[in-house]
Amino acid sequence: MLRSGAAPHRAGPLCSRQRKHPHVPLVVQKFGGSSVADATAIKRVAKRVVETKEAGNDVVVVVSAMGDTTDELLDLAASVTDTPAERELDILLTAGERISMALLAMAISELGVLARSYTGQQAGVLTDAAHGKASIVGVVPERIARTIQEGGVAIVAGFQGVSETMDVTTLGRGGSDTTAVALAAALDADVCEIYTDVDGLFTADPRIVPTARQITEITSEETLELAAHGAKILHLRAVEYARRYRVPIHVRSSFSDKPGTWIRTDSETEDSSMEEPIIAGVAHDRSQGKITVIGVPDVPGAAARLFTVVAEAGANVDMIVQNVSSEATGLTDISFTLPEADGQATLAALRAAAADLGFADLRYDDQIGKLSLVGAGMRSHPGVSAKLFGALFDAGINIEMISTSEIRISVVTRAEVLDEAVRAVHTAFDLDSSEAEAVVYGGTGR
Ligand code: ASP
Ligand code: MG
């Protein structure tokens, strides 16, 4: 189950485990909501944990809340008030993970293995005070280390921590991945296994591209780009954390024994003999909107003023396009994309600053889709963008905006042709698998 060879040393400000048996590998296993959805699922997870332990590993488990529990808790809060205090909402939401951790501990004990569950606070997950989206600032997993030393399995509630003021915090939706990676870093684990309801990472979302291929190995850099541009694979923060602390992640299905996907940190990739494909995959994102500011004076400082207003509205801008200004009027149009969730607040802030910014009109378009092609091989292979644009042209799809990074090309299209665009690009870059269709067990990818 573990890779052969020594794990690279991971240094960091986090506390390091005092290993009683330095030769016993430590595995952190994270199980998503669909993997612990009911009693049967929890027993299946217990069995897998015990098997890993009996194979000669120390095991620390991180769990998400059962099935849709977090959504149900949010609905409950909404039925009491429209404006829940964020502190109370966080306490409420962390209850979900506490249920699954205790049940899993019971199920593991039932199989004759010592198991103890811990809340984020008990596990020493320290965060800042940003309720609902807290960042982990340190991990002091003393009780976890002690449980391991006693020969037991420690089970930790994902997605939660405690602030300096001892208030319970949550890490944002999907945050259990980040808990798992942070614990793996703090405990100097050999691997962080993320169990989900798909067989691993795919070259595209199998629900859109049935011929998507499962990825065997990918760099954390590529994973970061895919996750940041809509691929619902892992919590973005978890990948950033894994990159920073060099934690190898192994994404696997809890419903099968398939080999899954290894996310390598870059130092590992460099000395690996794997032949890197040029393209890792195609991500898509339907959650963005586009604001066009019409008739902006084309003078120095206009963009600075405009995007200061946007930033103060809290919007995370992705792509920006400025048109050539008309010589006659000295005016230009600026378009940018942002999360739809930030759309209305940003429009309101721009309207409020209209006199100062001096634009003529504002347009908002939430019917856009974004396709992103990602691959570390783009650095050394010219012609990738030409091929991408050619594939979209052949499919009769119009490109509205383009942006690039060193290893990514993104295009904006109409939302209704996005799926078709993803399929066309996937095929053009020879990513289609000839094998059986990808299996999606639960269908959430978590
Ligand atoms: N239960 C939380 C959520 O649904 C955290 C997680 O699943 O990672 O977002
Ligand atoms: Mg949309």
Side-chain angles (χ1 to χ4, degrees):
M1 161 164 303
L2 285 174
R3 276 167 318 128
S4 55
H9 176 69
R10 288 180 286 281
L14 301 165
C15 142
S16 190
R17 180 172 62 127
Q18 293 298 306
R19 292 197 185 193
K20 194 170 151 205
H21 306 291
H23 51 280
V24 176
L26 174 63
V27 184
V28 173
Q29 298 188 315
K30 180 258 168 178
F31 293 92
S34 55
S35 300
V36 292
D38 54 27
T40 311
I42 288 176
K43 287 190 212 166
R44 185 189 312 120
V45 167
K47 201 163 150 265
R48 190 179 285 260
V49 171
V50 168
E51 278 165 11
T52 310
K53 175 101 180 118
E54 284 172 353
N57 302 290
D58 282 337
V59 187
V60 172
V61 180
V62 173
V63 283
S64 287
M66 295 171 68
D68 296 328
T69 303
T70 308
D71 291 322
E72 288 160 14
L73 291 172
L74 280 168
D75 288 348
L76 258 178
S79 61
V80 173
T81 169
D82 285 337
T83 52
E86 47 186 19
R87 179 186 182 279
E88 306 312 324
L89 193 59
D90 269 359
I91 297 246
L92 178 71
L93 293 187
T94 57
E97 271 70 11
R98 292 173 188 227
I99 295 172
S100 47
M101 75 177 195
L103 289 172
L104 181 59
M106 292 175 199
I108 292 174
S109 300
E110 198 61 24
L111 298 175
V113 171
L114 171 69
R116 285 205 193 103
S117 66
Y118 298 98
T119 65
Q121 177 170 3
Q122 289 175 313
V125 179
L126 311 176
T127 74
D128 61 20
H131 284 291
K133 50 175 188 306
S135 296
I136 296 178
V137 296
V139 183
V140 191
E142 278 164 23
R143 299 196 65 182
I144 308 304
R146 232 181 300 144
T147 299
I148 297 170
Q149 275 167 23
E150 287 166 24
V153 173
I155 298 151
V156 178
F159 165 68
Q160 56 183 271
V162 65
S163 73
E164 229 179 345
T165 53
M166 298 299 267
D167 286 307
V168 170
T169 53
T170 63
L171 311 180
R173 298 304 305 269
S176 299
D177 290 345
T178 302
T179 304
V181 176
L183 266 174
L187 294 163
D188 197 17
D190 295 270
V191 58
C192 181
E193 295 184 336
I194 305 272
Y195 285 90
T196 175
D197 57 7
V198 292
D199 288 335
L201 268 48
F202 284 81
T203 48
D205 185 337
R207 277 157 284 206
I208 291 181
V209 185
T211 51
R213 197 186 297 167
Q214 202 220 299
I215 300 169
T216 315
E217 274 200 346
I218 185 169
T219 64
S220 59
E221 182 189 32
E222 289 165 318
T223 310
L224 205 54
E225 288 275 10
L226 287 168
H229 294 277
K232 288 177 189 60
I233 37 186
L234 287 169
H235 200 226
L236 192 55
R237 207 95 62 64
V239 187
E240 285 169 354
Y241 223 99
R243 237 170 112 63
R244 183 152 10 115
Y245 294 105
R246 304 199 175 290
V247 178
I249 294 181
H250 189 184
V251 181
R252 312 183 61 184
S253 168
S254 62
F255 299 85
S256 82
D257 274 319
K258 302 227 175 105
T261 302
W262 279 96
I263 302 174
R264 307 288 195 193
T265 57
D266 299 335
S267 69
E268 291 174 287
T269 323
E270 271 162 30
D271 48 46
S272 116
S273 57
M274 87 191 210
E275 196 184 319
E276 276 189 72
I278 300 170
I279 300 302
V282 188
H284 70 278
D285 187 355
R286 234 179 281 279
S287 69
Q288 299 239 318
K290 178 172 78 173
I291 291 178
T292 302
V293 191
I294 297 170
V296 185
D298 194 9
V299 294
R305 279 199 301 279
L306 179 78
F307 285 102
T308 301
V309 172
V310 173
E312 281 166 359
N316 221 332
V317 170
D318 181 23
M319 294 189 194
I320 300 174
V321 171
Q322 176 173 340
N323 292 335
V324 183
S325 76
S326 135
E327 253 177 62
T329 61
L331 299 176
T332 183
D333 297 344
I334 297 179
S335 294
F336 59 92
T337 62
L338 74 179
E340 263 176 69
D342 297 335
Q344 293 308 327
T346 307
L347 286 169
L350 285 170
R351 266 184 224 117
D356 180 37
L357 299 173
F359 57 81
D361 201 2
L362 277 180
R363 301 257 159 83
Y364 184 52
D365 176 0
D366 61 2
Q367 292 305 307
I368 61 165
K370 185 176 74 173
L371 174 154
S372 299
L373 184 69
V374 172
M378 279 184 204
R379 283 200 183 93
S380 47
H381 288 79
V384 173
S385 22
K387 192 167 173 179
L388 169 65
F389 303 152
L392 292 171
F393 171 70
D394 290 344
I397 291 166
N398 187 42
I399 300 170
E400 300 180 16
M401 294 170 103
I402 302 168
S403 81
T404 63
S405 84
E406 244 187 301
I407 66 161
R408 173 184 52 84
I409 307 167
S410 299
V411 297
V412 166
T413 67
R414 285 293 87 206
E416 77 247 19
V417 296
L418 182 61
D419 288 2
E420 203 188 326
V422 172
R423 284 190 286 267
V425 170
H426 195 267
T427 302
F429 283 90
D430 291 325
L431 297 172
D432 290 338
S433 160
S434 49
E435 284 163 35
E437 295 194 352
V439 186
V440 182
Y441 298 91
T444 69
R446 284 257 176 237

